[in-house]
Amino acid sequence: MFTEFFQDLADPDFPLVRHALIAGFLAAVPFGIVGTYVVSMRISYIAAAIAHAVLGGIGASLFIQSRTGWSWLNPMAGAVATALFSAFLIGWVSRHAKQREDTVISAIWAIGMSSGLLFIAKTPGYIDPMTFLFGDILILSPRDLWMTAILGSGVVMTCIVFYKELLAVCYDREFAEIRGIRINVFYYLLLGMVALTVVLLVSVVGIVLAIALLTLPAAIAEFFSRKIWQMMVGSVILCCFLTSTGLALSYPTDLPTGAVTILLTGCLYLFVSLFHAVKLRGSTRL
Amino acid sequence: MVSLPEEALICFEKVTFAYGKDPVLEDISFEIQVGDSACIIGPNGGGKTTMIKLILGQLIPQSGTIRIMGKAPKYSALQVGYVPQHFQFDPSFPMTVLDFVLMGRLGRTGWGRYTRLDRESAEKAMYEMDVQNLATFRMSNISGGQRQRVLIARALAGDPEILLMDEPTSHVDAAMETRFRELLSRLHLQMSILTVSHDHGFVSSMVKRVICVNRTVVLHDTESLTNEAFQKLYGGELRWVNHDHCPGGDAHVH
């Protein structure tokens, strides 16, 4: 079943599968690290809102590009700008209007999606929104790989330099503030990293499934970790495994890679959760 | 040769603070000297927590000045080791006791990883609080009493000059309380201790000065605290409950 996959992977004249596999491995680094922060801080809803708002930026950039001919305004640029703007807006709202946070996040989520669909509808030529909603790892270019590698390196560097501060902001914000940590700066930094990682996720698994690949591997790793860096490493390894296995399973059967990857991720999470719950119940009885 | 006057440990001068229109603390002034241990007592809503937040620099008064060891609270926060009353945490968060205590070094260390000095300070604080054997445990896997000692270890890891504790005996049972008092007496030899407590027994045995807070402040020596003073502070009739299990027959206000 996998012969065709491995043959194409080894074929020097057929780079698509190789690029997809490399993209999965490269993207696993920011997915695993940023996903750990998202899960630990319980901000999956914020990450999901950013992911959906990205469609607004993608749609707007396609529409403006078609009208003005600005080649630099590609969907990726639109997605990055919208993701960063929504992250900043959500961060500001969550700091200043706590009681309305979920409502505002929902509004950003809905406005992003609907404006994106409207822009795409009014853009000349046929554009399939499904490409953005469910992604396709097999159409990533070498340029996309470089961008993924640069983002991954940036995330790793940020996490090494500010490891202590980010950990304190995630775990005990009040104490971090008392110790002179500028918690707002680190909160926005984290949201910025979430925004950029979400843009990558959108190219790999699409808008709808992005949140699953960001949070579920980290949630699985959380069961087996004593320290947050162990959770990050576990999550990165799981992301590598899930993206490559998803690709290997979907390629010979001609199924959408994003959907297969997420189905695999979801099943693994449910299995591990169940196993953990049974184990916990057993140890409580003892 | 002219000797400079020694800076007070904590100095509030005509401080007023309000969250909305009604002031929580109104025109309060008091001083605690270096080396003294003091206790803030008062009824719920009287302004005890607000006073802590002002000392920590988390709140800024509308009027008046606050000096902690001669500096504004914002610049003296690193010299204060803070132990909160309620520590709410996510039990599934992967955090070991050692990593938690190391957080006390924040502000005393540079970017990147914790240094050897940070680790030594954290280990010393854990040893002092007798929690060194819990270093690799997850925070969710230790008891309430152990957590209280770990919280104090985190405060001590930052080498503070003032230990500020909010209701330090609230999670400590009767048997542990005696050991806890001994521990605080030992710590008092190294630093000034400021506590917030509703526990009158704790007040009489541990501290020299008592700050009675109920929107305004009255400063007492421990010896001068009378039943009338408490009734005035709490605004009603109080009943004293003798706790026979505590050495010395300590009493609590109820």
Side-chain angles (χ1 to χ4, degrees):
Chain A
M1 180 182 168
F2 298 112
T3 320
E4 187 190 351
F5 172 72
F6 286 111
Q7 271 175 357
D8 286 351
L9 192 64
D11 187 349
D13 299 325
F14 197 68
L16 286 184
V17 185
R18 210 163 42 252
H19 282 172
L21 192 71
I22 294 168
F25 285 157
L26 288 175
V29 177
F31 292 178
I33 293 173
V34 174
T36 297
Y37 285 123
V38 169
V39 170
S40 317
M41 287 186 81
R42 304 274 182 269
I43 53 167
S44 320
Y45 193 57
I46 291 180
I50 296 172
H52 286 78
V54 154
L55 190 65
I58 293 172
S61 59
L62 286 168
F63 178 77
I64 296 168
Q65 199 180 41
S66 70
R67 294 291 164 112
T68 60
W70 295 340
S71 58
W72 55 268
L73 193 62
N74 53 36
M76 181 66 108
V80 168
T82 317
L84 288 173
F85 176 72
S86 342
F88 175 79
L89 196 61
I90 290 170
W92 189 86
V93 169
S94 72
R95 304 296 302 155
H96 296 94
K98 205 92 193 162
Q99 70 279 20
R100 292 267 175 257
E101 188 182 1
D102 56 342
T103 317
V104 176
I105 291 172
S106 306
I108 291 169
W109 180 319
I111 290 169
M113 283 293 278
S114 47
S115 61
L117 288 172
L118 288 177
F119 275 125
I120 289 171
K122 286 291 168 190
T123 303
Y126 176 72
I127 299 162
D128 185 7
M130 296 293 275
T131 315
F132 305 111
L133 292 177
F134 296 99
D136 194 351
I137 200 169
L138 284 166
I139 57 166
L140 292 180
S141 63
R143 189 170 152 268
D144 294 328
L145 295 187
W146 276 110
M147 279 198 67
T148 312
I150 291 166
L151 178 67
S153 313
V155 168
V156 171
M157 286 302 292
T158 308
C159 288
I160 289 173
V161 175
F162 301 120
Y163 180 79
K164 305 190 299 280
E165 290 75 15
L166 289 170
L167 180 62
V169 170
C170 289
Y171 194 67
D172 190 350
R173 206 178 282 192
E174 186 195 17
F175 186 79
E177 190 174 23
I178 291 169
R179 299 304 296 178
I181 305 295
R182 300 179 71 176
I183 56 168
N184 281 342
V185 171
F186 283 102
Y187 187 60
Y188 283 119
L189 179 70
L190 257 176
L191 288 184
M193 289 202 296
V194 170
L196 293 176
T197 306
V198 155
V199 174
L200 265 189
L201 277 162
V202 167
S203 10
V204 176
V205 287
I207 288 166
V208 178
L209 304 175
I211 197 63
L213 197 55
L214 189 65
T215 57
L216 296 183
I220 296 169
E222 195 177 41
F223 288 125
F224 307 101
S225 311
R226 276 176 189 276
K227 292 166 176 273
I228 202 158
W229 67 261
Q230 293 171 346
M231 187 171 156
M232 287 173 183
V233 172
S235 184
V236 169
I237 293 169
L238 273 170
C239 281
C240 285
F241 167 75
L242 290 164
T243 49
S244 54
T245 312
L247 183 65
L249 287 173
S250 62
Y251 189 74
T253 47
D254 201 22
L255 290 167
T257 310
V260 172
T261 306
I262 297 304
L263 191 64
L264 194 68
T265 310
C267 290
L268 185 64
Y269 174 72
L270 290 178
F271 174 75
V272 174
S273 301
L274 199 67
F275 175 76
H276 189 73
V278 170
K279 196 179 147 199
L280 207 65
R281 181 175 279 194
S283 62
T284 314
R285 275 188 188 160
L286 282 173
Chain B
M1 189 177 151
V2 181
S3 64
L4 290 167
E6 209 173 299
E7 295 286 2
L9 184 75
I10 296 170
C11 175
F12 273 56
E13 205 180 332
K14 295 182 181 302
V15 171
T16 297
F17 180 85
Y19 289 103
K21 275 184 181 174
D22 298 325
V24 181
L25 296 170
E26 194 170 9
D27 198 30
I28 61 169
S29 299
F30 69 89
E31 248 184 42
I32 301 290
Q33 297 305 319
V34 174
D36 277 359
S37 275
C39 185
I40 303 169
I41 61 166
N44 288 339
K48 300 191 296 291
T49 306
T50 303
M51 192 178 272
I52 288 181
K53 289 186 171 178
L54 287 167
I55 291 170
L56 290 168
Q58 287 182 295
L59 296 175
I60 297 166
Q62 273 85 13
S63 65
T65 52
I66 301 170
R67 286 276 178 272
I68 312 295
M69 305 188 77
K71 288 184 278 189
K74 191 181 165 188
Y75 301 105
S76 59
L78 293 181
Q79 288 160 289
V80 181
Y82 173 56
V83 182
Q85 180 191 4
H86 299 293
F87 178 62
Q88 289 178 334
F89 69 103
D90 178 357
S92 58
F93 196 108
M95 170 70 82
T96 63
V97 168
L98 176 62
D99 283 341
F100 183 78
V101 174
L102 274 167
M103 276 170 63
R105 295 297 298 168
L106 287 169
R108 295 267 192 213
T109 187
W111 300 117
R113 296 178 61 184
Y114 286 110
T115 62
R116 181 181 288 193
L117 178 69
D118 297 329
R119 289 183 184 279
E120 282 171 2
S121 293
E123 280 161 11
K124 189 176 154 220
M126 289 172 71
Y127 184 78
E128 199 142 18
M129 295 310 299
D130 197 22
V131 290
Q132 71 277 19
N133 56 335
L134 303 176
T136 55
F137 281 53
R138 272 177 79 140
M139 282 298 286
S140 51
N141 292 346
I142 60 174
S143 69
Q146 288 171 329
R147 198 169 298 134
Q148 184 76 6
R149 283 185 285 151
V150 168
L151 279 165
I152 301 175
R154 179 176 72 166
L156 295 178
D159 300 326
E161 288 169 61
I162 305 171
L163 187 60
L164 174 57
M165 293 188 285
D166 195 354
E167 298 282 2
T169 52
S170 59
H171 298 288
V172 176
D173 60 24
M176 186 64 203
E177 206 171 308
T178 314
R179 280 181 65 195
F180 192 72
R181 284 159 196 261
E182 286 166 8
L183 171 83
L184 291 188
S185 303
R186 207 170 68 234
L187 288 175
H188 182 45
L189 299 173
Q190 302 163 34
M191 65 196 74
S192 300
I193 298 177
L194 183 64
T195 51
V196 174
S197 182
H198 67 285
D199 183 345
H200 174 256
F202 186 83
V203 171
S204 61
S205 65
M206 277 299 303
V207 301
K208 289 181 186 166
R209 308 280 276 168
V210 179
I211 306 160
C212 300
V213 188
N214 192 0
R215 205 167 87 156
T216 57
V217 153
V218 181
L219 194 65
H220 291 274
D221 287 329
T222 321
E223 293 78 16
S224 67
L225 268 178
T226 59
N227 198 7
E228 287 72 36
F230 273 102
Q231 285 186 7
K232 199 175 169 189
L233 174 67
Y234 284 85
E237 195 65 30
L238 294 171
R239 294 169 66 194
W240 298 85
V241 180
N242 282 311
H243 286 218
D244 293 328
H245 55 259
C246 298
D250 297 336
H252 294 243
V253 180
H254 289 279

